[in-house]
PDB file of all heavy atoms in Angstrom:
ATOM      1  N   GLY W 644     -28.231 -19.850 -62.962  1.00 49.00           N
ATOM      2  CA  GLY W 644     -29.107 -18.865 -62.329  1.00 49.00           C
ATOM      3  C   GLY W 644     -28.371 -17.847 -61.489  1.00 49.00           C
ATOM      4  O   GLY W 644     -28.831 -17.510 -60.403  1.00 49.00           O
ATOM      5  N   GLN W 645     -27.231 -17.374 -61.972  1.00 67.00           N
ATOM      6  CA  GLN W 645     -26.452 -16.388 -61.239  1.00 67.00           C
ATOM      7  C   GLN W 645     -26.291 -15.134 -62.093  1.00 67.00           C
ATOM      8  O   GLN W 645     -25.183 -14.808 -62.537  1.00 67.00           O
ATOM      9  CB  GLN W 645     -25.079 -16.951 -60.864  1.00 67.00           C
ATOM     10  CG  GLN W 645     -25.148 -18.161 -59.934  1.00 67.00           C
ATOM     11  CD  GLN W 645     -23.767 -18.741 -59.689  1.00 67.00           C
ATOM     12  OE1 GLN W 645     -22.866 -18.612 -60.505  1.00 67.00           O
ATOM     13  NE2 GLN W 645     -23.606 -19.380 -58.553  1.00 67.00           N
ATOM     14  N   PRO W 646     -27.366 -14.435 -62.374  1.00 71.00           N
ATOM     15  CA  PRO W 646     -27.271 -13.266 -63.266  1.00 71.00           C
ATOM     16  C   PRO W 646     -26.345 -12.185 -62.725  1.00 71.00           C
ATOM     17  O   PRO W 646     -25.657 -11.509 -63.498  1.00 71.00           O
ATOM     18  CB  PRO W 646     -28.719 -12.771 -63.356  1.00 71.00           C
ATOM     19  CG  PRO W 646     -29.415 -13.357 -62.153  1.00 71.00           C
ATOM     20  CD  PRO W 646     -28.743 -14.665 -61.893  1.00 71.00           C
ATOM     21  N   GLN W 647     -26.291 -12.013 -61.395  1.00 84.00           N
ATOM     22  CA  GLN W 647     -25.411 -10.994 -60.835  1.00 84.00           C
ATOM     23  C   GLN W 647     -23.951 -11.364 -61.062  1.00 84.00           C
ATOM     24  O   GLN W 647     -23.138 -10.519 -61.452  1.00 84.00           O
ATOM     25  CB  GLN W 647     -25.682 -10.822 -59.340  1.00 84.00           C
ATOM     26  CG  GLN W 647     -24.870  -9.683 -58.719  1.00 84.00           C
ATOM     27  CD  GLN W 647     -25.209  -9.475 -57.250  1.00 84.00           C
ATOM     28  OE1 GLN W 647     -25.984 -10.222 -56.670  1.00 84.00           O
ATOM     29  NE2 GLN W 647     -24.644  -8.437 -56.668  1.00 84.00           N
ATOM     30  N   ALA W 648     -23.626 -12.629 -60.844  1.00 83.00           N
ATOM     31  CA  ALA W 648     -22.259 -13.091 -61.087  1.00 83.00           C
ATOM     32  C   ALA W 648     -21.898 -12.960 -62.557  1.00 83.00           C
ATOM     33  O   ALA W 648     -20.791 -12.541 -62.911  1.00 83.00           O
ATOM     34  CB  ALA W 648     -22.116 -14.545 -60.630  1.00 83.00           C
ATOM     35  N   ALA W 649     -22.856 -13.302 -63.427  1.00 86.00           N
ATOM     36  CA  ALA W 649     -22.594 -13.190 -64.864  1.00 86.00           C
ATOM     37  C   ALA W 649     -22.308 -11.745 -65.257  1.00 86.00           C
ATOM     38  O   ALA W 649     -21.445 -11.462 -66.096  1.00 86.00           O
ATOM     39  CB  ALA W 649     -23.784 -13.732 -65.656  1.00 86.00           C
ATOM     40  N   ALA W 650     -23.026 -10.815 -64.653  1.00 90.00           N
ATOM     41  CA  ALA W 650     -22.808  -9.391 -64.950  1.00 90.00           C
ATOM     42  C   ALA W 650     -21.415  -8.947 -64.490  1.00 90.00           C
ATOM     43  O   ALA W 650     -20.738  -8.175 -65.185  1.00 90.00           O
ATOM     44  CB  ALA W 650     -23.883  -8.552 -64.274  1.00 90.00           C
ATOM     45  N   ILE W 651     -20.995  -9.433 -63.345  1.00 91.00           N
ATOM     46  CA  ILE W 651     -19.664  -9.083 -62.830  1.00 91.00           C
ATOM     47  C   ILE W 651     -18.579  -9.633 -63.747  1.00 91.00           C
ATOM     48  O   ILE W 651     -17.611  -8.932 -64.083  1.00 91.00           O
ATOM     49  CB  ILE W 651     -19.493  -9.625 -61.395  1.00 91.00           C
ATOM     50  CG1 ILE W 651     -20.414  -8.865 -60.438  1.00 91.00           C
ATOM     51  CG2 ILE W 651     -18.044  -9.511 -60.944  1.00 91.00           C
ATOM     52  CD1 ILE W 651     -20.468  -9.456 -59.042  1.00 91.00           C
ATOM     53  N   LEU W 652     -18.777 -10.886 -64.188  1.00 91.00           N
ATOM     54  CA  LEU W 652     -17.789 -11.502 -65.082  1.00 91.00           C
ATOM     55  C   LEU W 652     -17.753 -10.785 -66.437  1.00 91.00           C
ATOM     56  O   LEU W 652     -16.682 -10.589 -67.018  1.00 91.00           O
ATOM     57  CB  LEU W 652     -18.103 -12.978 -65.273  1.00 91.00           C
ATOM     58  CG  LEU W 652     -18.042 -13.870 -64.029  1.00 91.00           C
ATOM     59  CD1 LEU W 652     -18.389 -15.302 -64.372  1.00 91.00           C
ATOM     60  CD2 LEU W 652     -16.669 -13.794 -63.373  1.00 91.00           C
ATOM     61  N   ALA W 653     -18.931 -10.405 -66.925  1.00 91.00           N
ATOM     62  CA  ALA W 653     -18.991  -9.696 -68.206  1.00 91.00           C
ATOM     63  C   ALA W 653     -18.278  -8.351 -68.120  1.00 91.00           C
ATOM     64  O   ALA W 653     -17.571  -7.936 -69.054  1.00 91.00           O
ATOM     65  CB  ALA W 653     -20.447  -9.511 -68.627  1.00 91.00           C
ATOM     66  N   ARG W 654     -18.475  -7.654 -67.022  1.00 94.00           N
ATOM     67  CA  ARG W 654     -17.803  -6.362 -66.837  1.00 94.00           C
ATOM     68  C   ARG W 654     -16.282  -6.556 -66.785  1.00 94.00           C
ATOM     69  O   ARG W 654     -15.522  -5.785 -67.380  1.00 94.00           O
ATOM     70  CB  ARG W 654     -18.305  -5.718 -65.543  1.00 94.00           C
ATOM     71  CG  ARG W 654     -17.532  -4.462 -65.125  1.00 94.00           C
ATOM     72  CD  ARG W 654     -17.674  -3.338 -66.139  1.00 94.00           C
ATOM     73  NE  ARG W 654     -16.864  -2.200 -65.780  1.00 94.00           N
ATOM     74  CZ  ARG W 654     -17.264  -1.230 -64.953  1.00 94.00           C
ATOM     75  NH1 ARG W 654     -18.469  -1.283 -64.395  1.00 94.00           N
ATOM     76  NH2 ARG W 654     -16.467  -0.205 -64.691  1.00 94.00           N
ATOM     77  N   ALA W 655     -15.840  -7.595 -66.063  1.00 93.00           N
ATOM     78  CA  ALA W 655     -14.402  -7.863 -65.960  1.00 93.00           C
ATOM     79  C   ALA W 655     -13.811  -8.192 -67.327  1.00 93.00           C
ATOM     80  O   ALA W 655     -12.720  -7.726 -67.675  1.00 93.00           O
ATOM     81  CB  ALA W 655     -14.160  -9.012 -64.986  1.00 93.00           C
ATOM     82  N   GLN W 656     -14.539  -8.974 -68.111  1.00 92.00           N
ATOM     83  CA  GLN W 656     -14.062  -9.317 -69.447  1.00 92.00           C
ATOM     84  C   GLN W 656     -13.956  -8.070 -70.323  1.00 92.00           C
ATOM     85  O   GLN W 656     -12.961  -7.876 -71.031  1.00 92.00           O
ATOM     86  CB  GLN W 656     -14.989 -10.339 -70.098  1.00 92.00           C
ATOM     87  CG  GLN W 656     -14.532 -10.736 -71.512  1.00 92.00           C
ATOM     88  CD  GLN W 656     -15.461 -11.740 -72.159  1.00 92.00           C
ATOM     89  OE1 GLN W 656     -16.362 -12.261 -71.503  1.00 92.00           O
ATOM     90  NE2 GLN W 656     -15.256 -12.005 -73.437  1.00 92.00           N
ATOM     91  N   ALA W 657     -14.985  -7.217 -70.288  1.00 93.00           N
ATOM     92  CA  ALA W 657     -14.976  -5.999 -71.105  1.00 93.00           C
ATOM     93  C   ALA W 657     -13.810  -5.089 -70.708  1.00 93.00           C
ATOM     94  O   ALA W 657     -13.138  -4.506 -71.574  1.00 93.00           O
ATOM     95  CB  ALA W 657     -16.306  -5.267 -70.953  1.00 93.00           C
ATOM     96  N   ASP W 658     -13.563  -4.959 -69.401  1.00 94.00           N
ATOM     97  CA  ASP W 658     -12.456  -4.112 -68.943  1.00 94.00           C
ATOM     98  C   ASP W 658     -11.113  -4.667 -69.382  1.00 94.00           C
ATOM     99  O   ASP W 658     -10.207  -3.914 -69.767  1.00 94.00           O
ATOM    100  CB  ASP W 658     -12.500  -3.981 -67.419  1.00 94.00           C
ATOM    101  CG  ASP W 658     -13.625  -3.078 -66.932  1.00 94.00           C
ATOM    102  OD1 ASP W 658     -14.199  -2.350 -67.771  1.00 94.00           O
ATOM    103  OD2 ASP W 658     -13.930  -3.097 -65.726  1.00 94.00           O
ATOM    104  N   PHE W 659     -10.994  -5.988 -69.333  1.00 94.00           N
ATOM    105  CA  PHE W 659      -9.737  -6.596 -69.767  1.00 94.00           C
ATOM    106  C   PHE W 659      -9.508  -6.386 -71.261  1.00 94.00           C
ATOM    107  O   PHE W 659      -8.403  -6.060 -71.699  1.00 94.00           O
ATOM    108  CB  PHE W 659      -9.728  -8.092 -69.434  1.00 94.00           C
ATOM    109  CG  PHE W 659      -8.517  -8.798 -69.972  1.00 94.00           C
ATOM    110  CD1 PHE W 659      -7.284  -8.666 -69.346  1.00 94.00           C
ATOM    111  CD2 PHE W 659      -8.590  -9.573 -71.119  1.00 94.00           C
ATOM    112  CE1 PHE W 659      -6.151  -9.294 -69.848  1.00 94.00           C
ATOM    113  CE2 PHE W 659      -7.467 -10.200 -71.628  1.00 94.00           C
ATOM    114  CZ  PHE W 659      -6.246 -10.068 -70.988  1.00 94.00           C
ATOM    115  N   LEU W 660     -10.556  -6.579 -72.058  1.00 91.00           N
ATOM    116  CA  LEU W 660     -10.426  -6.382 -73.502  1.00 91.00           C
ATOM    117  C   LEU W 660     -10.071  -4.940 -73.838  1.00 91.00           C
ATOM    118  O   LEU W 660      -9.342  -4.683 -74.804  1.00 91.00           O
ATOM    119  CB  LEU W 660     -11.724  -6.788 -74.201  1.00 91.00           C
ATOM    120  CG  LEU W 660     -12.033  -8.286 -74.223  1.00 91.00           C
ATOM    121  CD1 LEU W 660     -13.408  -8.539 -74.807  1.00 91.00           C
ATOM    122  CD2 LEU W 660     -10.968  -9.038 -75.010  1.00 91.00           C
ATOM    123  N   LYS W 661     -10.569  -4.004 -73.060  1.00 93.00           N
ATOM    124  CA  LYS W 661     -10.229  -2.596 -73.286  1.00 93.00           C
ATOM    125  C   LYS W 661      -8.733  -2.364 -73.056  1.00 93.00           C
ATOM    126  O   LYS W 661      -8.056  -1.709 -73.857  1.00 93.00           O
ATOM    127  CB  LYS W 661     -11.051  -1.690 -72.371  1.00 93.00           C
ATOM    128  CG  LYS W 661     -10.841  -0.197 -72.610  1.00 93.00           C
ATOM    129  CD  LYS W 661     -11.774   0.632 -71.747  1.00 93.00           C
ATOM    130  CE  LYS W 661     -11.702   2.114 -72.128  1.00 93.00           C
ATOM    131  NZ  LYS W 661     -10.362   2.689 -71.944  1.00 93.00           N
ATOM    132  N   VAL W 662      -8.215  -2.905 -71.968  1.00 92.00           N
ATOM    133  CA  VAL W 662      -6.782  -2.777 -71.702  1.00 92.00           C
ATOM    134  C   VAL W 662      -5.986  -3.453 -72.810  1.00 92.00           C
ATOM    135  O   VAL W 662      -4.972  -2.937 -73.292  1.00 92.00           O
ATOM    136  CB  VAL W 662      -6.434  -3.389 -70.326  1.00 92.00           C
ATOM    137  CG1 VAL W 662      -4.921  -3.512 -70.143  1.00 92.00           C
ATOM    138  CG2 VAL W 662      -7.026  -2.546 -69.208  1.00 92.00           C
ATOM    139  N   ASP W 663      -6.461  -4.629 -73.237  1.00 86.00           N
ATOM    140  CA  ASP W 663      -5.763  -5.395 -74.261  1.00 86.00           C
ATOM    141  C   ASP W 663      -5.706  -4.668 -75.601  1.00 86.00           C
ATOM    142  O   ASP W 663      -4.796  -4.868 -76.396  1.00 86.00           O
ATOM    143  CB  ASP W 663      -6.468  -6.741 -74.431  1.00 86.00           C
ATOM    144  CG  ASP W 663      -5.665  -7.727 -75.260  1.00 86.00           C
ATOM    145  OD1 ASP W 663      -4.431  -7.704 -75.166  1.00 86.00           O
ATOM    146  OD2 ASP W 663      -6.275  -8.505 -76.004  1.00 86.00           O
ATOM    147  N   SER W 664      -6.686  -3.803 -75.861  1.00 86.00           N
ATOM    148  CA  SER W 664      -6.756  -3.116 -77.153  1.00 86.00           C
ATOM    149  C   SER W 664      -5.927  -1.836 -77.202  1.00 86.00           C
ATOM    150  O   SER W 664      -5.728  -1.270 -78.270  1.00 86.00           O
ATOM    151  CB  SER W 664      -8.213  -2.784 -77.483  1.00 86.00           C
ATOM    152  OG  SER W 664      -8.721  -1.799 -76.593  1.00 86.00           O
ATOM    153  N   GLU W 665      -5.458  -1.360 -76.052  1.00 87.00           N
ATOM    154  CA  GLU W 665      -4.716  -0.099 -76.016  1.00 87.00           C
ATOM    155  C   GLU W 665      -3.230  -0.341 -76.280  1.00 87.00           C
ATOM    156  O   GLU W 665      -2.629  -1.226 -75.672  1.00 87.00           O
ATOM    157  CB  GLU W 665      -4.892   0.576 -74.654  1.00 87.00           C
ATOM    158  CG  GLU W 665      -6.323   1.013 -74.371  1.00 87.00           C
ATOM    159  CD  GLU W 665      -6.481   1.624 -72.984  1.00 87.00           C
ATOM    160  OE1 GLU W 665      -5.603   1.394 -72.134  1.00 87.00           O
ATOM    161  OE2 GLU W 665      -7.490   2.324 -72.768  1.00 87.00           O
ATOM    162  N   PRO W 666      -2.619   0.439 -77.189  1.00 83.00           N
ATOM    163  CA  PRO W 666      -1.184   0.272 -77.451  1.00 83.00           C
ATOM    164  C   PRO W 666      -0.350   0.394 -76.174  1.00 83.00           C
ATOM    165  O   PRO W 666       0.544  -0.408 -75.929  1.00 83.00           O
ATOM    166  CB  PRO W 666      -0.872   1.403 -78.434  1.00 83.00           C
ATOM    167  CG  PRO W 666      -2.178   1.699 -79.095  1.00 83.00           C
ATOM    168  CD  PRO W 666      -3.216   1.475 -78.051  1.00 83.00           C
ATOM    169  N   VAL W 667      -0.665   1.393 -75.368  1.00 87.00           N
ATOM    170  CA  VAL W 667      -0.062   1.537 -74.039  1.00 87.00           C
ATOM    171  C   VAL W 667      -1.216   1.789 -73.070  1.00 87.00           C
ATOM    172  O   VAL W 667      -1.780   2.879 -73.058  1.00 87.00           O
ATOM    173  CB  VAL W 667       0.957   2.696 -73.982  1.00 87.00           C
ATOM    174  CG1 VAL W 667       1.547   2.797 -72.585  1.00 87.00           C
ATOM    175  CG2 VAL W 667       2.060   2.500 -75.010  1.00 87.00           C
ATOM    176  N   PRO W 668      -1.605   0.798 -72.270  1.00 90.00           N
ATOM    177  CA  PRO W 668      -2.771   0.968 -71.399  1.00 90.00           C
ATOM    178  C   PRO W 668      -2.618   2.148 -70.454  1.00 90.00           C
ATOM    179  O   PRO W 668      -1.558   2.364 -69.858  1.00 90.00           O
ATOM    180  CB  PRO W 668      -2.810  -0.357 -70.620  1.00 90.00           C
ATOM    181  CG  PRO W 668      -2.085  -1.330 -71.485  1.00 90.00           C
ATOM    182  CD  PRO W 668      -1.009  -0.539 -72.171  1.00 90.00           C
ATOM    183  N   GLY W 669      -3.678   2.943 -70.329  1.00 92.00           N
ATOM    184  CA  GLY W 669      -3.671   4.087 -69.426  1.00 92.00           C
ATOM    185  C   GLY W 669      -4.017   3.678 -68.009  1.00 92.00           C
ATOM    186  O   GLY W 669      -4.534   2.581 -67.759  1.00 92.00           O
ATOM    187  N   LEU W 670      -3.756   4.568 -67.072  1.00 93.00           N
ATOM    188  CA  LEU W 670      -3.948   4.242 -65.662  1.00 93.00           C
ATOM    189  C   LEU W 670      -5.423   3.985 -65.336  1.00 93.00           C
ATOM    190  O   LEU W 670      -5.751   3.049 -64.599  1.00 93.00           O
ATOM    191  CB  LEU W 670      -3.405   5.376 -64.787  1.00 93.00           C
ATOM    192  CG  LEU W 670      -3.409   5.110 -63.281  1.00 93.00           C
ATOM    193  CD1 LEU W 670      -2.573   3.887 -62.934  1.00 93.00           C
ATOM    194  CD2 LEU W 670      -2.898   6.333 -62.531  1.00 93.00           C
ATOM    195  N   GLN W 671      -6.317   4.801 -65.878  1.00 94.00           N
ATOM    196  CA  GLN W 671      -7.733   4.649 -65.552  1.00 94.00           C
ATOM    197  C   GLN W 671      -8.267   3.294 -66.001  1.00 94.00           C
ATOM    198  O   GLN W 671      -8.961   2.598 -65.245  1.00 94.00           O
ATOM    199  CB  GLN W 671      -8.551   5.771 -66.185  1.00 94.00           C
ATOM    200  CG  GLN W 671     -10.037   5.721 -65.824  1.00 94.00           C
ATOM    201  CD  GLN W 671     -10.812   6.913 -66.369  1.00 94.00           C
ATOM    202  OE1 GLN W 671     -10.233   7.861 -66.878  1.00 94.00           O
ATOM    203  NE2 GLN W 671     -12.126   6.868 -66.262  1.00 94.00           N
ATOM    204  N   SER W 672      -7.936   2.903 -67.241  1.00 95.00           N
ATOM    205  CA  SER W 672      -8.448   1.626 -67.751  1.00 95.00           C
ATOM    206  C   SER W 672      -7.826   0.438 -67.021  1.00 95.00           C
ATOM    207  O   SER W 672      -8.506  -0.559 -66.747  1.00 95.00           O
ATOM    208  CB  SER W 672      -8.199   1.514 -69.255  1.00 95.00           C
ATOM    209  OG  SER W 672      -6.824   1.617 -69.555  1.00 95.00           O
ATOM    210  N   THR W 673      -6.540   0.531 -66.668  1.00 95.00           N
ATOM    211  CA  THR W 673      -5.909  -0.594 -65.961  1.00 95.00           C
ATOM    212  C   THR W 673      -6.459  -0.740 -64.551  1.00 95.00           C
ATOM    213  O   THR W 673      -6.682  -1.858 -64.077  1.00 95.00           O
ATOM    214  CB  THR W 673      -4.377  -0.422 -65.894  1.00 95.00           C
ATOM    215  OG1 THR W 673      -4.060   0.845 -65.310  1.00 95.00           O
ATOM    216  CG2 THR W 673      -3.753  -0.531 -67.266  1.00 95.00           C
ATOM    217  N   MET W 674      -6.722   0.381 -63.871  1.00 95.00           N
ATOM    218  CA  MET W 674      -7.251   0.295 -62.510  1.00 95.00           C
ATOM    219  C   MET W 674      -8.699  -0.198 -62.509  1.00 95.00           C
ATOM    220  O   MET W 674      -9.095  -0.961 -61.629  1.00 95.00           O
ATOM    221  CB  MET W 674      -7.143   1.650 -61.819  1.00 95.00           C
ATOM    222  CG  MET W 674      -5.712   2.086 -61.508  1.00 95.00           C
ATOM    223  SD  MET W 674      -4.814   0.964 -60.381  1.00 95.00           S
ATOM    224  CE  MET W 674      -3.779   0.039 -61.549  1.00 95.00           C
ATOM    225  N   SER W 675      -9.485   0.217 -63.500  1.00 96.00           N
ATOM    226  CA  SER W 675     -10.850  -0.297 -63.614  1.00 96.00           C
ATOM    227  C   SER W 675     -10.831  -1.799 -63.863  1.00 96.00           C
ATOM    228  O   SER W 675     -11.622  -2.561 -63.276  1.00 96.00           O
ATOM    229  CB  SER W 675     -11.600   0.413 -64.745  1.00 96.00           C
ATOM    230  OG  SER W 675     -11.764   1.782 -64.461  1.00 96.00           O
ATOM    231  N   CYS W 676      -9.916  -2.219 -64.720  1.00 96.00           N
ATOM    232  CA  CYS W 676      -9.767  -3.637 -65.027  1.00 96.00           C
ATOM    233  C   CYS W 676      -9.334  -4.420 -63.792  1.00 96.00           C
ATOM    234  O   CYS W 676      -9.848  -5.509 -63.509  1.00 96.00           O
ATOM    235  CB  CYS W 676      -8.750  -3.810 -66.153  1.00 96.00           C
ATOM    236  SG  CYS W 676      -8.370  -5.516 -66.569  1.00 96.00           S
ATOM    237  N   LEU W 677      -8.392  -3.870 -63.046  1.00 95.00           N
ATOM    238  CA  LEU W 677      -7.927  -4.533 -61.827  1.00 95.00           C
ATOM    239  C   LEU W 677      -9.088  -4.738 -60.855  1.00 95.00           C
ATOM    240  O   LEU W 677      -9.284  -5.824 -60.291  1.00 95.00           O
ATOM    241  CB  LEU W 677      -6.810  -3.703 -61.192  1.00 95.00           C
ATOM    242  CG  LEU W 677      -6.045  -4.298 -60.011  1.00 95.00           C
ATOM    243  CD1 LEU W 677      -4.668  -3.638 -59.889  1.00 95.00           C
ATOM    244  CD2 LEU W 677      -6.781  -4.115 -58.689  1.00 95.00           C
ATOM    245  N   GLN W 678      -9.886  -3.705 -60.654  1.00 95.00           N
ATOM    246  CA  GLN W 678     -10.985  -3.774 -59.685  1.00 95.00           C
ATOM    247  C   GLN W 678     -12.081  -4.736 -60.132  1.00 95.00           C
ATOM    248  O   GLN W 678     -12.593  -5.540 -59.335  1.00 95.00           O
ATOM    249  CB  GLN W 678     -11.556  -2.375 -59.461  1.00 95.00           C
ATOM    250  CG  GLN W 678     -10.595  -1.436 -58.749  1.00 95.00           C
ATOM    251  CD  GLN W 678     -10.996   0.028 -58.855  1.00 95.00           C
ATOM    252  OE1 GLN W 678     -12.076   0.335 -59.353  1.00 95.00           O
ATOM    253  NE2 GLN W 678     -10.141   0.921 -58.398  1.00 95.00           N
ATOM    254  N   SER W 679     -12.452  -4.678 -61.400  1.00 95.00           N
ATOM    255  CA  SER W 679     -13.534  -5.552 -61.872  1.00 95.00           C
ATOM    256  C   SER W 679     -13.093  -7.009 -61.896  1.00 95.00           C
ATOM    257  O   SER W 679     -13.899  -7.915 -61.625  1.00 95.00           O
ATOM    258  CB  SER W 679     -14.015  -5.113 -63.257  1.00 95.00           C
ATOM    259  OG  SER W 679     -12.977  -5.203 -64.211  1.00 95.00           O
TER     260      SER W 679
END
């Protein structure tokens, strides 16, 4: 019953996967990933 926590974790996972998919991660995506 922690929908807010689940949303935060989902966002963090999506940001990490975005960085993981980039041949050379850009600054914007890495900083978003770091924060989430």
